[in-house]
Amino acid sequence: MSFHTRLASGYHMDLNFPAHLHIQPSVSDSFAPEFGFVSQEKAIKEVGIAGRVWESAYPLCRYLEPTSLFKFEPPFLLDPEPSSRHHVLELGSGTGIVAHHFAHLYSHRMVTIATDLPEVVPILEKHLCTSSAIARPLTWGYMKDVELLQREFHLDPNASPLSLILCSDLVYFPELHAPLLRTLILLTSPPFCTESHVPRVIISYKLRSQTKETPFWAIFGLWFSFEPVLLSSGSSLPTHWHPINETSDDRALLFIARRRNGSAEWKVPDSDVDLMLGVGAFGTETMKQDDRFESLLLLSMEL
């Protein structure tokens, strides 16, 4: 999780250091010391909220593991052994824990690219030095950054494809809904995809404010179809599926998303305001929303 944005007025808002910032490191004993309590404390002082391992990173890491104590539906599967080198790109990597974990598991199959704001990249490089993951700057909504990545890694859906995009705890600040969505659309559009190859998107997300966050999903669902990953910790055939890490106080959701059929032909509006009104989706200039996210929330309450 790492955030900053430039408002229409030109005023630069660094959301990595919100007013009255007072956060503590999260704790998990099952990951590398680069992501432990002391390391997070230091990183938080340097880069604010980008220096903390946020809760959704842990279930995402578990989901990506080829073997696990948990049963997931659908399970995480890589494409069959590729003839060319595939790439995975993480947005808003923050400390880099997800990219580090993925590279440890799949470096023989895929190139892992961890991205974040330029000021966060030094922390990323430090944490990723023991892995094969590569840290690069990528500011959401900036086409230039996306083009630089495409050229550096020769990302081509036919020869050296981008196959997977990972997102963990990125949906919170309303100011960044449009830049995040725009970046996801860019990375799942030509030249990164063809009709037969479109990157898959995996989003791990903790619901913190339904009022603030639902507007993102209402527009995301116009451009992407998405389904929840369900979890069962039973040792035999699962009899009860539920969202990952759901308790009465802490709900984590994990989604698998792909671009909607035909959406590569839709015109993406230049205006962030229009984008978040649904303009351009389904090839029309009218305002619209998708209710898939709210339906899934209601379903999760019944599971």
Side-chain angles (χ1 to χ4, degrees), residues 28-37 39-40 97 100-101 127 130:
S28 175
D29 297 329
S30 56
F31 290 90
E34 294 94 327
F35 309 103
F37 190 93
S39 178
Q40 288 183 58
I97 187 172
H100 184 282
H101 194 63
H127 289 170
T130 59

Side-chain angles (χ1 to χ4, degrees), residues 140-282:
W140 300 344
Y142 280 41
M143 184 63 181
K144 182 179 178 181
D145 285 357
V146 174
E147 291 174 342
L148 288 173
L149 287 173
Q150 194 269 331
R151 289 199 296 267
E152 178 182 356
F153 294 97
H154 307 288
L155 298 174
D156 181 299
N158 297 310
S160 184
L162 174 64
S163 294
L164 186 62
I165 300 167
L166 300 176
C167 306
S168 174
D169 260 325
L170 302 186
V171 181
Y172 181 66
F173 291 115
E175 297 91 339
L176 291 177
H177 289 173
L180 173 58
L181 177 58
R182 190 177 297 280
T183 301
L184 288 168
I185 292 173
L186 285 171
L187 291 171
T188 53
S189 299
F192 297 98
C193 71
T194 62
E195 187 174 338
S196 61
H197 177 88
V198 180
R200 184 174 25 150
V201 182
I202 303 180
I203 302 179
S204 187
Y205 158 72
K206 179 181 177 180
L207 180 64
R208 292 181 173 86
S209 172
Q210 188 171 345
T211 301
K212 288 183 178 180
E213 296 154 17
T214 296
F216 171 82
W217 297 107
I219 305 303
F220 176 83
L222 297 175
W223 294 85
F224 293 82
S225 59
F226 61 101
E227 297 294 335
V229 173
L230 300 181
L231 166 71
S232 174
S233 55
S235 57
S236 58
L237 289 175
T239 58
H240 180 70
W241 293 101
H242 55 86
I244 293 175
N245 272 12
E246 183 180 19
T247 68
S248 59
D249 300 317
D250 182 17
R251 182 185 300 173
L253 302 170
L254 203 154
F255 298 118
I256 311 295
R258 290 187 184 274
R259 282 290 293 274
R260 286 191 178 274
N261 291 336
S263 62
E265 305 299 322
W266 304 344
K267 180 177 174 15
V268 182
D270 295 328
S271 162
D272 284 352
V273 173
D274 285 346
L275 179 64
M276 296 310 297
L277 289 174
V279 173
F282 295 98

Side-chain angles (χ1 to χ4, degrees), residues 47-208:
V47 292
I49 64 175
R52 185 179 190 268
V53 177
W54 292 88
E55 287 77 7
S56 293
Y58 298 120
L60 178 54
C61 286
R62 292 299 178 220
Y63 178 65
L64 296 172
E65 293 172 357
T67 59
S68 174
L69 296 175
F70 304 99
K71 298 179 187 297
F72 297 103
E73 179 58 41
F76 175 69
L77 298 172
L78 289 178
D79 293 330
E81 193 69 37
S83 58
S84 59
R85 194 71 160 164
H86 285 224
H87 297 74
V88 56
L89 185 146
E90 185 186 12
L91 291 176
S93 297
T95 63
I97 187 172
V98 173
H100 184 282
H101 194 63
F102 189 94
H104 174 72
L105 294 169
Y106 302 110
S107 61
H108 62 295
R109 298 271 310 267
M110 301 183 77
V111 176
T112 303
I113 308 167
T115 69
D116 214 306
L117 298 168
E119 57 266 34
V120 179
V121 169
I123 291 287
L124 262 179
E125 291 176 329
K126 179 180 177 181
H127 289 170
L128 297 176
C129 66
T130 59
S131 81
S132 63
I134 303 165
R136 290 292 184 269
L138 174 57
T139 301
W140 300 344
Y142 280 41
M143 184 63 181
K144 182 179 178 181
D145 285 357
V146 174
E147 291 174 342
L148 288 173
L149 287 173
Q150 194 269 331
R151 289 199 296 267
E152 178 182 356
F153 294 97
H154 307 288
L155 298 174
D156 181 299
N158 297 310
S160 184
L162 174 64
S163 294
L164 186 62
I165 300 167
L166 300 176
C167 306
S168 174
D169 260 325
L170 302 186
V171 181
Y172 181 66
F173 291 115
E175 297 91 339
L176 291 177
H177 289 173
L180 173 58
L181 177 58
R182 190 177 297 280
T183 301
L184 288 168
I185 292 173
L186 285 171
L187 291 171
T188 53
S189 299
F192 297 98
C193 71
T194 62
E195 187 174 338
S196 61
H197 177 88
V198 180
R200 184 174 25 150
V201 182
I202 303 180
I203 302 179
S204 187
Y205 158 72
K206 179 181 177 180
L207 180 64
R208 292 181 173 86

